Coordinates of all heavy atoms in Angstrom, one line a residue:
G901 N 0.8 -1.2 0.0 CA 0.0 0.0 0.0 C 0.9 1.2 0.0 O 2.0 1.2 0.4
L902 N 0.3 2.3 -0.5 CA 1.1 3.6 -0.6 C 0.4 4.6 0.3 O -0.7 5.0 -0.1 CB 1.2 4.0 -2.0 CG 2.2 5.2 -2.3 CD1 3.6 4.8 -2.0 CD2 2.1 5.5 -3.8
G903 N 1.0 5.0 1.3 CA 0.3 6.0 2.2 C 1.2 7.1 2.5 O 2.4 7.1 2.3
L904 N 0.6 8.1 3.1 CA 1.4 9.3 3.5 C 1.8 9.2 5.0 O 2.6 9.9 5.4 CB 0.6 10.6 3.2 CG 0.3 10.9 1.8 CD1 -0.6 12.1 1.6 CD2 1.6 11.1 1.0
R905 N 1.1 8.4 5.7 CA 1.3 8.3 7.2 C 2.7 7.7 7.5 O 3.3 8.1 8.5 CB 0.2 7.6 7.9 CG -1.0 8.3 7.9 CD -2.0 7.6 8.8 NE -3.2 8.4 8.9 CZ -3.5 9.0 10.0 NH1 -2.8 8.9 11.1 NH2 -4.6 9.8 10.1
G906 N 3.1 6.7 6.8 CA 4.3 6.0 7.1 C 5.6 6.6 6.5 O 6.6 5.9 6.5
T907 N 5.5 7.8 6.1 CA 6.7 8.4 5.5 C 7.7 8.8 6.5 O 7.4 9.2 7.7 CB 6.4 9.7 4.7 OG1 5.8 10.6 5.6 CG2 5.4 9.4 3.6
T908 N 9.0 8.7 6.2 CA 10.0 9.1 7.1 C 10.4 10.5 6.8 O 9.8 11.1 5.9 CB 11.3 8.2 6.8 OG1 11.7 8.4 5.4 CG2 11.0 6.7 7.0
R909 N 11.2 11.1 7.6 CA 11.6 12.5 7.4 C 12.4 12.7 6.1 O 12.4 13.8 5.5 CB 12.5 13.0 8.6 CG 11.7 13.2 9.8 CD 12.6 13.7 10.9 NE 11.8 14.7 11.7 CZ 12.3 15.6 12.4 NH1 13.6 15.7 12.5 NH2 11.5 16.4 13.1
E910 N 13.2 11.7 5.7 CA 14.0 11.8 4.6 C 13.2 11.8 3.3 O 13.7 12.3 2.2 CB 15.1 10.8 4.6 CG 14.6 9.4 4.5 CD 15.7 8.4 4.8 OE1 16.8 8.8 5.2 OE2 15.5 7.2 4.7
E911 N 12.1 11.1 3.3 CA 11.3 10.9 2.0 C 10.9 12.3 1.4 O 11.1 12.5 0.2 CB 10.1 10.0 2.3 CG 9.5 9.6 1.0 CD 8.4 8.6 1.3 OE1 8.4 7.9 2.3 OE2 7.4 8.5 0.5
P912 N 10.2 13.2 2.1 CA 9.9 14.5 1.5 C 11.1 15.3 1.1 O 11.0 15.9 0.0 CB 9.1 15.2 2.6 CG 8.6 14.2 3.5 CD 9.6 13.1 3.5
A913 N 12.2 15.1 1.8 CA 13.4 15.8 1.4 C 13.9 15.3 0.1 O 14.4 16.1 -0.8 CB 14.4 15.7 2.5
L914 N 13.9 14.0 -0.1 CA 14.4 13.4 -1.3 C 13.5 13.7 -2.5 O 14.0 14.0 -3.6 CB 14.5 11.8 -1.1 CG 15.6 11.3 -0.3 CD1 15.5 9.9 0.0 CD2 17.0 11.6 -0.9
I915 N 12.2 13.7 -2.2 CA 11.2 14.1 -3.3 C 11.4 15.5 -3.7 O 11.4 15.9 -4.9 CB 9.8 13.8 -2.9 CG1 9.6 12.3 -2.7 CG2 8.8 14.4 -3.8 CD1 8.3 11.9 -2.0
G916 N 11.6 16.4 -2.7 CA 11.8 17.8 -3.0 C 13.1 18.1 -3.7 O 13.2 18.9 -4.7
F917 N 14.1 17.3 -3.3 CA 15.4 17.5 -4.0 C 15.3 17.0 -5.5 O 15.8 17.7 -6.4 CB 16.5 16.8 -3.3 CG 17.9 16.9 -4.0 CD1 18.6 18.1 -3.8 CD2 18.4 16.0 -4.8 CE1 19.8 18.3 -4.4 CE2 19.6 16.1 -5.4 CZ 20.3 17.3 -5.2
T918 N 14.7 15.9 -5.7 CA 14.6 15.3 -7.0 C 13.7 16.2 -7.9 O 14.1 16.4 -9.1 CB 14.0 13.9 -6.9 OG1 14.8 13.1 -6.1 CG2 13.9 13.3 -8.3
C919 N 12.6 16.7 -7.4 CA 11.7 17.4 -8.3 C 11.9 18.9 -8.4 O 11.5 19.5 -9.3 CB 10.2 17.1 -7.8 SG 9.8 15.4 -8.0
L920 N 12.5 19.5 -7.4 CA 12.7 20.9 -7.3 C 14.2 21.4 -7.3 O 14.6 22.2 -8.1 CB 11.9 21.5 -6.1 CG 10.4 21.3 -6.1 CD1 9.9 21.7 -4.7 CD2 9.8 22.0 -7.2
A921 N 14.9 20.9 -6.3 CA 16.3 21.4 -6.1 C 17.2 21.0 -7.3 O 18.0 21.8 -7.7 CB 16.8 21.0 -4.8
F922 N 17.1 19.7 -7.7 CA 18.1 19.3 -8.7 C 17.8 20.0 -10.1 O 18.8 20.4 -10.7 CB 17.9 17.7 -8.8 CG 19.0 17.1 -9.7 CD1 20.4 17.4 -9.4 CD2 18.7 16.3 -10.7 CE1 21.4 16.8 -10.1 CE2 19.7 15.7 -11.5 CZ 21.1 15.9 -11.2
P923 N 16.6 20.2 -10.5 CA 16.4 20.9 -11.8 C 16.9 22.4 -11.6 O 17.4 23.0 -12.5 CB 14.9 20.8 -12.1 CG 14.4 19.7 -11.3 CD 15.3 19.5 -10.1
L924 N 16.6 23.0 -10.5 CA 17.0 24.3 -10.2 C 18.5 24.4 -10.2 O 19.1 25.4 -10.8 CB 16.4 24.8 -8.9 CG 16.7 26.3 -8.6 CD1 16.0 27.2 -9.6 CD2 16.1 26.6 -7.2
L925 N 19.2 23.5 -9.6 CA 20.6 23.4 -9.6 C 21.2 23.3 -11.1 O 22.2 23.9 -11.4 CB 21.1 22.3 -8.7 CG 22.6 22.1 -8.6 CD1 23.2 23.3 -7.8 CD2 22.9 20.8 -7.8
A926 N 20.6 22.4 -11.8 CA 21.0 22.2 -13.2 C 20.8 23.5 -14.0 O 21.7 23.9 -14.8 CB 20.2 21.1 -13.9
W927 N 19.7 24.2 -13.8 CA 19.4 25.4 -14.5 C 20.4 26.5 -14.1 O 21.0 27.2 -14.9 CB 18.0 25.9 -14.2 CG 17.7 27.2 -14.8 CD1 17.5 27.5 -16.2 CD2 17.5 28.5 -14.2 NE1 17.2 28.8 -16.4 CE2 17.2 29.4 -15.2 CE3 17.5 28.9 -12.8 CZ2 16.9 30.7 -14.8 CZ3 17.3 30.2 -12.5 CH2 17.0 31.1 -13.5
A928 N 20.8 26.6 -12.8 CA 21.7 27.6 -12.3 C 23.1 27.4 -12.8 O 23.8 28.3 -13.1 CB 21.6 27.7 -10.8
V929 N 23.5 26.1 -12.8 CA 24.9 25.8 -13.1 C 25.1 25.8 -14.7 O 26.0 26.4 -15.2 CB 25.3 24.4 -12.6 CG1 26.6 24.0 -13.2 CG2 25.4 24.5 -11.1
C930 N 24.2 25.2 -15.4 CA 24.3 25.1 -16.8 C 24.0 26.4 -17.6 O 24.6 26.7 -18.6 CB 23.5 24.0 -17.4 SG 23.9 22.4 -16.8
G931 N 23.1 27.2 -17.0 CA 22.7 28.4 -17.7 C 23.7 29.5 -17.5 O 24.6 29.7 -18.4
P932 N 23.7 30.2 -16.4 CA 24.6 31.3 -16.2 C 26.1 30.9 -16.1 O 27.0 31.6 -16.6 CB 24.1 32.0 -14.9 CG 22.8 31.4 -14.6 CD 22.7 30.1 -15.4
L933 N 26.3 29.8 -15.4 CA 27.7 29.5 -15.1 C 28.5 28.9 -16.3 O 29.6 29.3 -16.6 CB 27.7 28.5 -13.9 CG 29.0 28.4 -13.1 CD1 29.3 29.7 -12.5 CD2 28.9 27.3 -12.0

């Protein structure tokens, strides 16, 4: 089953990094830098 209750603290951080921080980092490094 897939639920939101059993999530660990690291799971939202990994999801946020994968979906938000990593593309932003790629854009910031590859674009201006």
